[in-house]
Amino acid sequence: MSGIRMLIIWSVLAAGPDMAQSADTTRAGNAFVPPLARASRASGPIRVDGRLDEPAWASAQPITGFTQTDPSEGQPASERTEVRILVDDEAVYIGARLFDRDPSGIRARLARRDDETDSDHFDVYLDSYHDHLTAWHFRVNPVGAIRDAAIYADGNEDDSWDGVWEAAASVDGEGWVAELRIPLSQLHYSEAADGAWGLQVSRTIQRLQEQDVFSFTPKKEQGGVRRYGVLGGLGRLPVSRHAELLPYMVGRSEYTHPGAGNPFRSGSDYFGDFGLDFKYSMTSNLTLSGTLNPDFGQAEVDPAVVNLSAFETFYPERRPFFVSDAGNFSFGSLRSMNNFGFGQTFYTRRIGRSPHLDVQGDYPYVDEPRQSTIAGAAKLTGKTSSGWTVGLLDAVTTRESARFQDDHGAPGRVPVEPLTNYFLGRLRRDIHQGDSQVGMMLSAVNRDLSDPTLGAKLRSSAYAAGFDWSHGWSNQDWSLDGFLLGSHVRGSRAAIVATQRSSSHYYQRPDAPQVTFDPTRTWLSGYHGEVALAKNNGEHWIGSVTTQFMSPGFEVNDLGFMGRADRYTIAPIILYLENKPGKIFRNYQAFPFTYHAWNYDGKLITAG
């Protein structure tokens, strides 16, 4: 366990520099004054070819003042960079001339989309809401390999977001050129008369291990979206009302050796399906998305895992409909450097999951569905002009049955999954320009268990509701984050007995006087909370202390993901950082930490 804990801590530390180490550039006393950039109006068409030879580029005001974050923190960039920005009614264009006195030393690597490479690259970060919390990340390298990601309010980047945009690059005797076209339809923004966006631009010179940024933040301070510069000159951007329809038809064939007598497989079997995805921008910052019988055949396959424990394996969500705008549904993110990571309140892999009942071993021949069919799903995501982040989702999965043939050759059907409705509502409010946030969430799962076979196995309903907060002060040097969540599940006596006996609860264990196994119960309730106090910035010293508690009856696995309930924890850590390069080390960290967890009977269950 201690090895896992060390890996988690090192992962937290290693993630910091990748979070777009942005931006201080100018200060007035202790207040951060963001640097300014100005977009120009595009006069005439712009061809994205990595050349910047259209007249509009020459008339645009360049961004030139770049500062090193590495290796010489705070020093001017070693190579000159000029970035120009154009805008029209369709898109934002970014053109960068990246000078290099040694063009032969430019490192360029071909790569698949979103792959990290040992390469020079040019990055643009757009906080189009200008909420100082969320942003979009676009990257291109000298041979045109691209990466993009959504940056959420908790600072995490999600590279499973794949926007529709163009990029091109070219290398010449003066260095290299990057050119990007980002359609306005891919961004969410307010409909102001003269909008302003948050902007960060960075350049990596790989052979020098150098990173240069437009908006600089010292390493001793917290960077990220809060410390971006400001992009003005956008004018009144058009209200986007675009609609997208994506119908599909799919065919699949299977060539197997089913064995003699199998009534469901011939050895050469063919299958077909069809459906529709749609997206409509109700306003420039609210989007309605939906899907009917979605096609998830293009989603990445999960890796093979051998699980010898009593607990479920967690697989990340990869399906495009659920990945898109997933940050609008995030709940309870804490700025903690040492915690137990209890799971997720909302886990979309529950929607369209494999059927709960498996009857493969009950009959000689079985034709069983691989997953539940999502008849339809819709979600509304975005952000209002008053600072409310909105996420609403509703999905329905159909009743599923397995066909079988018994030992006597008689055919039949048995239900394996009920008709189910899933709902999630999430609201989050920004306060003091994103320095603080408060939010609430509600989730509900309701199943049609009119069939007694399913009623004895599954819970009929499951609800969870809670609120969370995030508060920072002293220029985000300090933060206090937390949440409180309650759950309630209902079902038949057999279903709640199975819940009490599950690996998440183990109510039947004899050494647990605080819980009582009750075979007559038809419901179970519980609560879960976390609080973290953190010092995020400092010349050398940072740290956090986190406490977490989860009552024995807490249960959210119907639409969330959790392992073991019945615990409360304390996890402090203090870190000493040295970021200034020395004769031997460029940087180093040292940190004492401890973690302890007890169950509600007061027995120590984990320590390190």
Side-chain angles (χ1 to χ4, degrees), residues 8 160 191 225 232 241 314 350 355 444 510 527 553 595:
I8 293 171
S160 59
E191 301 166 10
V225 183
R241 289 287 191 274
F314 177 86
R350 302 298 186 202
Y527 59 87
Y595 56 93

Side-chain angles (χ1 to χ4, degrees), residues 246-259:
L246 183 63
Y248 81 90
M249 295 182 66
V250 62
R252 179 170 59 89
S253 60
E254 288 185 3
Y255 301 98
T256 59
H257 300 281

Side-chain angles (χ1 to χ4, degrees), residues 342 527-528 548-552 554 562 564-567 600:
F342 274 135
Y527 59 87
H528 174 201
Q548 302 166 297
F549 48 91
M550 184 182 290
S551 73
F554 184 75
M562 56 170 277
R564 176 176 178 172
D566 187 15
R567 63 167 64 186
Y600 270 56

